[in-house]
Amino acid sequence: MRKATNISSHNHEREHGTRLMPKFDQSGLISAVVQDSRSGEVLMVAFMDEEALAATRESGEAHFHSRSRDKLWKKGETSGNVLKVEQVLIDCDQDAVVLKVVPAGPTCHTGARSCFYRELDGDTLKPLAE
Amino acid sequence: MRKATNISSHNHEREHGTRLMPKFDQSGLISAVVQDSRSGEVLMVAFMDEEALAATRESGEAHFHSRSRDKLWKKGETSGNVLKVEQVLIDCDQDAVVLKVVPAGPTCHTGARSCFYRELDGDTLKPLAE
């Protein structure tokens, strides 16, 4: 009973409090959505671990955790297309963030402005108008 | 060598082709960002498995996979606050989608319009102006 109460009050603080309490999943990750702060366009989606979140907060530039390489990944570290973070939003249960950014260039490694350059049209994918 | 070529051509088709080839992770999931199709506001972030993606496409209303309950979850099934999906965007490597939706009511279970109702302000969380 005491345990249930503690979990409940923990969840209440997480949802309604003013304290940053990221709820990392069993792989140590939260979701991170990158949104252009001017256009509102969603540019990419990735994951952050504690290290990536700290590096982003300290540097003001977006860092993620690469699941394929299992390491810290500064977006733009090779391309130069860094993402300047203007605002960080966090969701109710603190397992996802939205980064409002100013991108230095195309966000997608394909050269597209956003990684979301196709829409589902029936059973096929159709390029979006730029 | 043949294997490498096949993987490479598979990845090329996934990034540049017109065929829907979702890249589910080892848990069978892709990320799903829900964005208000009118305001551009990010309303919530969740996960979809193959079943949730199929249910969303068939019904035109957003379905997700609940990781905590390990089952299909129709958003709004109890609250009535369903999300009508107007457009589905998919990213370069097909492991994330953006759902452009018209929400029937508040998206967050707390009653907030969006789950992202706080921003990080230094070390604390600050409610966003509605």
Side-chain angles (χ1 to χ4, degrees):
Chain A
M1 192 62 189
R2 185 175 300 164
K3 193 177 174 196
T5 307
N6 284 347
I7 288 173
S8 167
S9 103
H10 204 68
N11 285 343
H12 188 272
E13 184 181 0
R14 187 167 255 143
E15 291 190 353
H16 300 283
T18 58
R19 188 154 70 92
L20 180 63
M21 305 165 67
K23 195 165 88 183
F24 297 105
D25 71 8
Q26 55 191 13
S27 303
L29 302 174
I30 58 173
S31 299
V33 178
V34 177
Q35 190 177 26
D36 188 301
S37 62
R38 289 164 300 189
S39 68
E41 185 177 25
V42 174
L43 300 175
M44 62 176 284
V45 177
F47 294 93
M48 283 181 160
D49 59 2
E50 195 161 13
E51 182 185 24
L53 181 59
T56 300
R57 295 178 66 197
E58 282 158 23
S59 67
E61 294 184 324
H63 290 67
F64 305 101
H65 179 78
S66 166
R67 293 192 297 175
S68 57
R69 289 178 289 150
D70 191 25
K71 60 180 281 204
L72 184 69
W73 158 44
K74 177 183 171 181
K75 173 66 188 165
E77 64 194 347
T78 52
S79 67
N81 295 327
V82 297
L83 300 168
K84 182 167 178 258
V85 178
E86 297 204 316
Q87 194 180 28
V88 178
L89 311 183
I90 195 154
D91 74 342
C92 46
D93 59 356
Q94 301 203 27
D95 65 358
V97 291
V98 169
L99 308 180
K100 301 260 197 165
V101 308
V102 176
T107 295
C108 189
H109 73 285
T110 62
R113 191 177 64 235
S114 162
C115 292
F116 295 90
Y117 50 80
R118 291 170 297 183
E119 67 171 317
L120 192 54
D121 180 26
D123 284 332
T124 61
L125 303 181
K126 195 175 72 174
L128 291 173
E130 273 287 312
Chain B
M1 191 63 189
R2 186 175 300 164
K3 193 175 172 195
T5 307
N6 285 347
I7 288 173
S8 167
S9 105
H10 204 66
N11 285 342
H12 188 270
E13 184 181 0
R14 186 166 256 143
E15 292 190 352
H16 299 283
T18 57
R19 188 153 71 92
L20 180 64
M21 305 165 68
K23 195 165 89 185
F24 298 105
D25 70 8
Q26 56 191 12
S27 302
L29 302 173
I30 58 173
S31 300
V33 178
V34 177
Q35 190 177 25
D36 188 302
S37 62
R38 290 164 300 192
S39 68
E41 186 177 24
V42 174
L43 299 175
M44 61 176 284
V45 177
F47 293 93
M48 284 180 158
D49 60 1
E50 195 161 13
E51 182 185 24
L53 181 60
T56 300
R57 294 178 66 196
E58 281 157 23
S59 67
E61 293 183 325
H63 290 67
F64 305 103
H65 179 78
S66 166
R67 292 191 298 176
S68 57
R69 290 178 288 148
D70 192 25
K71 60 179 279 206
L72 184 69
W73 158 45
K74 178 183 170 181
K75 173 67 188 165
E77 63 194 349
T78 52
S79 67
N81 294 326
V82 297
L83 301 168
K84 183 166 177 262
V85 178
E86 298 205 315
Q87 192 180 30
V88 178
L89 311 183
I90 194 154
D91 75 341
C92 46
D93 58 357
Q94 301 202 28
D95 65 358
V97 291
V98 170
L99 307 180
K100 301 260 197 163
V101 308
V102 176
T107 296
C108 190
H109 72 285
T110 62
R113 193 177 62 237
S114 161
C115 293
F116 294 91
Y117 51 80
R118 292 169 296 183
E119 68 171 318
L120 191 54
D121 181 26
D123 283 332
T124 62
L125 303 181
K126 195 176 71 173
L128 291 174
E130 273 286 310

